[in-house]
Amino acid sequence: MLVHIDQDKCCGAGHCVVAAPEVFDQRDEDGIVLLLDARPPADLHQAVQDAAAVCPAAAIRLDLA
Amino acid sequence: MTAPRRIAVVGAGAAGLHTAEALRRAGYDGRLTLVGDEEEPPYDRPPLSKHLLSGQWQPDRLTLRDPRALDELRLDLRLGVRARRLDRRARTVHLADGREVPCDAVVIATGVRPRRLPGAGTPGDGTPPAGAHVLRTLADALALRADLCEGPRAGGRLLVVGGGLLGAEAAATAVGIGAEVTWLVSTDTPLAAVLGTETAALLTGLHRGHGVRIHRGTATGLLSRGGRATGVRLADGTDLAADTVLTAIGSEPATEWLADSGLGLDGGVVCDARCAAGPGVWAAGDAACWPDPRTGRHRRLEQRTNATEQALHVARNLLAGPDGTTEVYTPVPYLWTDQYGLRVQAFGSPGAADRFEPVDGSPEEHRFAAACVRDGRVVGAVGIASARALRGLRAQVAAHAPWPPEPA
């Protein structure tokens, strides 16, 4: 799994950090998403998919190859 | 009842799209119809008053899913057509083009439409005068931008009517692209009811500092001459003149098409705590109204994050079936607003608080996170440029935790 984030689209809700704190963080100054791990291990894939699904700004894209 | 094989999702905004996507993701492989009255494939509305109005973004950036991702959902996609009626007995959605969509389950995600001032015309009932705008759709935003940037009214006087978040964002964006902006509000500190007094006062000061003229009053009607908006009339009998008028005085649920459906329609589609409006009928997004388990009162949330969260919730409950395990919907409301380069973020209901308790920074620094407390409980949290501290308060908002926090 390859994780892409779009920082321009991110609205800073932080839902992704709640869903997958190992993979996502937020910039303190504006809450914008930070990607900690673009190739997360398999045991985190479900959490990352949840994060992408709940992102209100559709700012997380996953390549599931 | 057997598992549904035909699901109709009515409304192709964020709530409708996310419902459809969540249904597929959960393994639903039956027929999935998505109906939307706009021509565009599902797009994101929050940037309309920000990056799109400013011209920083082109419309294609608002698209929520690229064509390939939409294809993968295998939708029976009906765009540019309005739902006209729901016949629950026959389990059929009637569309304005005369076609019918039979379905075992329907999800109502038709959202809201903006209120207009008397004199502004209503959809299907008179054309609004030129220069009179609302801001809900992509077409609305492009029309407003065109009036502000091109043609005879470019760079002229914009009057923004309404002291809510939409009006505030539009005023901030418009002044940034060279409009002469007057913001008509009904209270001394607009946005206080949403964000709390401290944050609202900070933003009001920023508006003034950037040259927005804040006018206190209540508009009673739109003025026009020769088919062109000229301003508004106020309750005190005076007039405010403008070249372009943006009316941002709130919205109403777009539920007319459900009038004879037998569903409860009282300030939205009335749902139970699981977001069911009736057997096989669900609602998500701006139009849905459900009982808040903390207060027992029905509420409706016009918030972008709610559209997503409620959609996922409805998809789960719908597929669980009548005998399955369904869940009560208990979101922690979240909103954000971008004005003058600052991003304000809020959880819960900061406007309902009677105490403002910063846990990081201060409003004076334009950097803070604060708990918003009412009757000794955390009912909200609001912050600027302090995302981690703010997120740390989310659990306390969710729990309506006591304040000050009890020692661990």
Side-chain angles (χ1 to χ4, degrees), chain B residues 1-11 15-16 19-35 73-78 86 91-93 101-109 280-283 311 314-321:
Chain B
M1 189 182 119
T2 54
R5 297 298 304 155
R6 300 173 303 180
I7 300 177
V9 178
V10 184
T19 304
E21 200 170 61
L23 288 168
R24 285 295 190 226
R25 202 168 156 239
Y28 171 73
D29 67 354
R31 183 177 172 133
L32 184 52
T33 304
L34 182 64
V35 179
L73 294 177
R74 290 168 289 121
L75 299 174
D76 166 25
L77 187 58
R78 315 282 186 96
L86 171 64
R91 293 187 170 272
T92 301
V93 176
V101 180
C103 50
D104 312 316
V106 60
V107 179
I108 298 163
V281 183
W282 305 80
V314 160
R316 238 184 344 259
N317 281 352
L318 188 163
L319 293 177

Side-chain angles (χ1 to χ4, degrees), chain A residues 15-16 19-20 44-55 60 62, chain B residues 25 312:
Chain A
H15 289 23
C16 56
L44 293 178
H45 286 188
Q46 185 58 50
V48 173
Q49 291 204 4
D50 289 345
V54 299
C55 173
I60 301 170
L62 306 177
Chain B
R25 202 168 156 239
L312 302 185

Side-chain angles (χ1 to χ4, degrees), chain B residues 143-160:
Chain B
L144 175 60
R145 178 168 167 77
D147 261 1
L148 295 179
C149 300
E150 307 156 13
R153 288 179 290 275
R157 298 165 300 169
L158 170 69
L159 174 61
V160 177

